[in-house]
Amino acid sequence: MTRDEAWHLPNDWVAAWNGHDLDLIMTHYEDAVELTSPAAAQLLGTADGKVVGKANLRAYFQRGLAAYPELHFRLENVLWGVNSVVLYYTNQKGTHTAEFMELSAGGKVVRVVANYSA
């Protein structure tokens, strides 16, 4: 993965979120995606914060967009590996987030682990 390739997905992902375009957001994910996030634990009321499958992820994102209509991300940095990226961004409240995204062979996100500033 080149530097330009590594920044492509995060830039598109942030633009989709900032546009609150759920259909466009979902184009970044595989059907068998798994997401683990403290925000999911809080919003969904689950202890493990895990969301499995694209349909469930869509429902979670839809709920999040409705709960936070002012949601906006500013991409700060991107780290990349062989088949993964880490997005480091700030939201509208100034909270820092790092999301590890494992990518499939097709370049879509298959696993996400989100971490937030303490």
Side-chain angles (χ1 to χ4, degrees), residues 3-89:
R3 182 184 192 285
D4 289 342
E5 290 168 341
W7 277 84
H8 180 76
L9 173 99
N11 282 323
D12 285 353
W13 184 89
V14 166
W17 275 101
N18 288 346
H20 292 227
D21 186 335
L22 186 56
D23 290 334
L24 190 55
I25 292 167
M26 295 311 300
T27 64
H28 297 98
Y29 298 92
E30 289 288 352
D31 290 340
V33 65
E34 288 188 14
L35 174 138
T36 304
S37 167
Q42 180 181 9
L43 193 63
L44 301 175
T46 61
D48 65 1
K50 188 172 277 202
V51 180
V52 178
K54 196 170 184 177
N56 292 329
L57 187 65
R58 181 184 183 87
Y60 163 61
F61 287 165
Q62 187 170 24
R63 194 167 172 184
L65 286 169
Y68 302 100
E70 72 287 354
L71 188 71
H72 184 84
F73 299 147
R74 188 178 81 232
L75 190 60
E76 303 284 345
N77 203 353
V78 175
L79 307 174
W80 69 93
V82 174
N83 65 342
S84 62
V85 291
V86 175
L87 285 63
Y88 183 69
Y89 60 91

